[in-house]
Amino acid sequence: MSSTGATTKEDDLEAGAVESLADKEEEFQLGPFIKEGHFEKRTQQGGSAKKVGVVFKNLTVKGLTSTTNYAKTLPDAILGTFGPDLYQLVCRFVPILSFKKHQPLRTLTYDFTGIVRDGEMMLVLGRPGSGCTTFLKAIANKRDEYASVTGDVSYGGITAQNQQAHYRGEVNYTPEDDQHLPTLNVWQTLKFSLLNKTKKRSKAEIDVIVRALMKMFGITHTAKTLVGNEMVRGVSGGERKRVSIAETLATKSTVICWDNSTRGLDASTALDYANSLRIMTDISNRTTLVTLYQAGEQIYELMDKVLVIDEGRMVYQGPAKEAKQYFIDLGLHCPERETTADFLTSVTDSTQRRYREGYESSAPKTAEDFERVFKSSPNYQKVLADVEGYERHLEHTDYVDAREFKQSVKESQSKRVSDKSSFTVSYWRQVSACTRREFWLVWGDKPSLYTKFFIIISIGLIVASLFYGQPDSTDGAFSRGGAAFFSILFLGWLQLSELIKAVSGRTVIQRHKEYAFYRPSAVNLARVLVDFPQILAMVIPFAVIMYFLGDLDVDVSKFFIYTLFVYTMTLNITALYRMFAALSPTIDDAVRFAGTAFNLLIVFTGYVIVKPQLLNQKIWFGWIYYINPITYAFEGVLTNEFDGRVMQCASEQLVPQGPGVQPQYQGCATSGARIGSSSVTGEEYLNTTFQYTRSNLWRNFGVLIAFTVLYIFATVVASELFSFVEGGGGALVFKKGAKSPVPATSKIVDAEKAGDSGDSSASSGQTQASSLGGSDKDAENLPKTTDSESVFTWTDVNFSVPYGGGQRQLLNQVHGYAKPGVMIALMGASGAGKTTLLNTLSQRQRMGTVSGSFLVDGRPLSPEFQRVTGYVEQMDLHDRTATIREAIEFSAILRQDRHVPKQEKLAYVEDIIDLLELREIQDVLILSLGVEQRKRVTIAVELAAKPSLLFLDEPTSGLDSQSAYSIIRFLQKLARAGHGIICTIHQPSSLLIQQFDMILALNPGGQTFYFGPVGDNGAAVNKYFSNRGNHCPPQKNIAEFILETAAKGGRRQDGKRLNWNKEWRNSQENKDLLVEIDQINKDRSKIPAKESSTEHAYASPLWLQCTMLTKRMFIQHWRDPSYLYGKLFVAVIIGIFNGFTFWSLGSTIADMQNRMFTSFLIILIPPTVVNAVVPKFYQNMALWGARENPSRIYNWFAFCTASVITEIPISILSSIIYWLLWYYPTGLPRDSSTAGYVFLMTLLFFLFQASWGQWICAFAPSFTVISNVLPFFFVMFSLFNGVIRPYAQLPVFWRYWMYYLNPSTYWIGGVIAATLRDVSVECGPGEAALFNPPPGQTCSEYAAAFVQSVGRG
């Protein structure tokens, strides 16, 4: 599923919830609920028993200096293998070995001193990158990602060190991003949080609190809906944010730092959230610190204190009601209708700062000036006095609050929890809760579960049928070994998908660890506990099918022993995979190491190369046999199968044969056969061939369990010691060869706006506002970005999706139009259907039923509609390894009309780069950009196409007020340049909403309740609602008024409740709108239409699409070295082990078999390589499906062509490396014709496996299905080629089609035919068939006829 499609579905799910948040609040009163003691212990006087104020003195935080980083490429990765990377990896595990030079540090916050008392709320304000997030993290004791934190932070007298060691879960930081396990539903997510924060005797309260939290935030209707994420359909973005808030409240913490927790919430919901925080802070005496961007005046008025930060310096701290006047007294001007929070933030921005007349020269100019003035002011002396007064109060009361806090924390803990522990429940309760969650996760991901069981049963049937009817004679001995070998390996092979689960949940686990929910090791033990029943459910159908259909020995005890070993082996391999995941920084590393290790264990099991040969002849790698758990399982299963078996010698293996031969004087050409015997016992066969004995059966079982326990233990220890979760901010990453960036890039980088590792204002945030939000005359310099004068209209738009066996209406009779030069704000509560409407209007819906009329100039939409419209998505989807310039050029070249010269397109790109102030960072990789920078890049990419109509989904979400204003002002300039603009927007300030010409307002269910002009200061909107008895107060933000009016409803003068949806449908304004739309369509339809022959769905010809995309993919691979490096790594490792394990093969019968197996072992490479190809191809395909195909940039043929071509060079290089490392060490024929033929086959094999992975990925509906289907293909590829089961013994059903359809048949057949030609066979010791001649005859006389016939054959 594409990201955009998934996001659309998420937003759609909430749209059907017609009950408003206000109605929910009326049902639930938070204050009385808290006073009842549900969230905490209450004192006898009714107060909170857990209350501590926060004091910070001389708090200074430093990070590493932001040096210029350049993108790592393939040569860097290869060279790093032989030194730097290995050294860094070792140092990570053994820090004492590190000899790093002292790196220069940069100061993030300078000498902060202040206090937030219990029961107080502090608002922290500043531009992105100013240090707000750094300050919150320092207060919350989250210091690991910083180089140095000095100064004192105390919590009611408890030191920071003591808090971190014993009370970690009582001081929390809530990040801006919503990180959840997507396949849990809302109820499960909240219940799990409370299971870990509620002692056993209070468990009855858990469901009560869960219901209360859901009622508090109006998400009761989503209780059974998955939380979801970008790729998993779930609740809307606004609802997910509320789930994050509720989860944090479930921690029952005393001090909470909230980082921009209103992002994605509409103004009304954000105010309700702030009110809830105020109530909880007052009643529970909590200490609350919040950063909020675009905070409304009503939210600001709820705050007790405010802290303003500019470039890491404290420029104001004190009562919130005094802050505005303080800065006005300094000489700054506050524009009318600007909220106090916006004004305070603008003070820290030199481009937005305005001075009062006469103060231009005397007022502070820099952050240092503001800091110096503040620290010499009476306001700062009040702060110091407040700190001193609070500390005296603590000493005077003998720290009674701290003692009560500690006692309350202890009483909230379970009996078995140590006094020194930060956790609320015992370790085994943590494991129990995590086990329950793991079961929820398994059941929540039903597609994966069903696919896995389908694959198990189908593969069981297919492979068992391969061995069906295998003879009981010596002919079936080798194939029985194959059946046993496959039985113990297949389910382990299938478990490779556990790697993704183990790595992908790390961020959530780390956050829960900080919340003191559980130890990370508890999750690993929980997964093991879930494995027991889950793997048993997998093993039973597989074992029954494989055992009985595969013609293994029908004996009850043997069947249960077989099942026991298969079960234990699957547990063992699963634990092995998780161990690699716990030790690997990324999923690429985990797949590479786990896949390669598993392949090597297969080689050294003792099946491909038997144990005697492995231990006696393969001295370099034979020792692997002893540390290989598969060997013990294989011996156990094989000896179990052959125990008590007597195999008659197959007729073709009897020696001699022919006329005159007497049966009692024949020998059997099978290892383990006795002289003159025509049968072989299973024990003798195994002892001679493998040196196996059944007496080791339970020893092998014990060793298998020991290995499993060892892997689990290593995983548990690694999860506690190592965390590979990246911290916040970091430096921008430039492409190799880029010019050194200007000094602006080394400004303070704050984690708050880091997307992956960047900062939204570090490089150009200080200058962008002046350009984007500049004066009106700047519009004159705007390049001509569109020539179109077309008008887009839509009427009677309806959209519904299947839901609960019926249909859910998400859009209902929506009408409107978009004209050139007109900006339309699309508004509504979270989940009202705003994104749904945008997707529908832009023709990007991929599900559900759409109806209605969509016309451009009165005519149906042409094939090029999607190409000539731009869609700025909320998710900012890009090729992450491209630079900003490359992304914009790619869009311009492929999306502008084909008749426009390339030079003109590139010249236009220069204009766009300057327009959006991206010149300084044009060579930065998109993956390192922050939120606001990525948003500007997304807009630039869409503008590069010169769209006539621009759709934007939440372009200001997550931005501070200045950045949001800059973006909207820039859009206004675009509108003046001739674009039609439709833009969804959350929490617009009064200043922001005035930039729009019209508002289209939706209620949940996609019901329009207003579409019309904004008017001067909202006059037109106010007129519509005041005519119906709802007046907007003079100083009220008109945008907030609309949302609150819709959410809380209204009443007529006669007291009846208003239905705003019906009011609009029956209004004169709606009727006038329909008349206007009809008139527009009539007038515009008279204009001559564009000739159909000049219309193209894709602007560029196919050849240009292919060449541009191929170039981009080559660059992508080059800058993502782990992908190419992984392919080379596998070729080198498998090549070395294959070549040197089969060193200088001889000419015995065993060597002949080894010659076949050394060729066969190339099939170990595809599982690892294909597992790398599939995510890469899927990631690119998802980008194509989500953004680049809907925008008609390039088509599917171009995508497939580029994907195939870019795999060719690395496949050629890998094949050369593998062939050289394998072919010559094994001693295979060195004549040029044979060696050349084998090299050609190897080259074709490597080309095949890359295209094979892409083919598999292209037809699969989702990544979950792909990961479970891959083993199916690998099994068919490996088994149906005549090696494990010779062609003559294949069941008829498979013999005449699957054998010939299998590509590996031709590789193995061709290479073996070439390498075994003209090779003489010499029997080694133990390989000769022994027989006694009849009395009176010599051996030569007795077997003469047989020898002659063999010689002729």
Side-chain angles (χ1 to χ4, degrees), residues 359-538:
Y359 285 85
E360 291 85 357
S361 57
S362 61
K365 301 292 188 300
T366 65
E368 291 84 351
D369 293 342
F370 277 104
E371 180 188 44
R372 186 177 60 255
V373 169
F374 173 66
K375 289 197 171 181
S376 60
S377 70
N379 301 73
Y380 185 59
Q381 299 308 313
K382 289 180 185 177
V383 171
L384 296 179
D386 197 10
V387 172
E388 189 178 343
Y390 181 69
E391 290 182 331
R392 277 203 309 269
H393 165 73
L394 292 177
E395 291 175 5
H396 180 70
T397 59
D398 195 22
Y399 299 96
V400 63
D401 286 349
R403 290 203 308 275
E404 284 186 359
F405 168 79
K406 292 177 180 179
Q407 181 62 28
S408 178
V409 170
K410 180 57 191 167
E411 289 179 7
S412 70
Q413 291 176 320
S414 297
K415 287 183 179 179
R416 293 189 176 87
V417 177
S418 164
D419 291 346
K420 297 181 178 181
S421 174
S422 294
F423 299 99
T424 304
V425 298
S426 67
Y427 185 72
W428 298 113
R429 284 272 312 280
Q430 295 171 29
V431 173
S432 172
C434 290
T435 303
R436 183 185 295 195
R437 183 179 67 175
E438 288 300 317
F439 276 116
W440 287 339
L441 286 169
V442 170
W443 192 242
D445 189 11
K446 291 188 183 68
S448 179
L449 192 65
Y450 295 157
T451 305
K452 181 174 281 190
F453 276 91
F454 172 77
I455 292 294
I456 288 170
I457 293 171
S458 59
I459 286 292
L461 290 169
I462 291 169
V463 177
S465 70
L466 175 69
F467 295 103
Y468 178 73
Q470 56 183 331
D472 291 328
S473 65
T474 54
D475 252 0
F478 183 73
S479 64
R480 285 181 189 279
F485 187 59
F486 178 81
S487 296
I488 60 175
L489 290 179
F490 170 67
L491 292 178
W493 210 346
L494 194 65
Q495 288 293 87
L496 195 65
S497 58
E498 288 298 312
L499 282 174
I500 298 172
K501 291 181 186 176
V503 174
S504 61
R506 282 177 177 170
T507 308
V508 175
I509 292 172
Q510 180 66 19
R511 183 161 54 83
H512 285 176
K513 177 187 175 184
E514 291 163 1
Y515 284 175
F517 281 173
Y518 52 78
R519 290 184 173 278
S521 58
V523 179
N524 290 298
L525 287 182
R527 286 172 176 159
V528 174
L529 292 177
V530 172
D531 282 342
F532 288 129
Q534 186 182 0
I535 290 179
L536 181 63
M538 292 160 54

Side-chain angles (χ1 to χ4, degrees), residues 1328-1349:
L1330 304 178
F1331 59 91
N1332 287 321
Q1337 285 185 281
T1338 64
C1339 285
S1340 60
E1341 292 171 348
Y1342 177 59
F1346 171 68
V1347 171
Q1348 288 175 1
S1349 66

Side-chain angles (χ1 to χ4, degrees), residues 763-837:
S763 59
S764 56
Q766 301 298 320
T767 58
Q768 60 91 17
S770 61
S771 172
L772 299 190
S775 61
D776 293 348
K777 67 180 181 181
D778 290 343
E780 298 171 10
N781 302 322
L782 196 70
K784 185 67 175 173
T785 52
T786 181
D787 300 315
S788 175
E789 296 180 355
S790 298
V791 180
F792 176 46
T793 64
W794 61 93
T795 51
D796 295 323
V797 174
N798 293 283
F799 177 68
S800 59
V801 292
Y803 187 80
Q807 291 285 318
R808 172 177 276 185
Q809 190 84 3
L810 301 180
L811 295 176
N812 197 330
Q813 300 292 311
V814 183
H815 320 294
Y817 58 80
K819 293 180 178 179
V822 176
M823 269 181 74
I824 300 172
L826 185 52
M827 296 178 61
S830 297
K834 301 183 296 296
T835 300
T836 304
L837 180 58

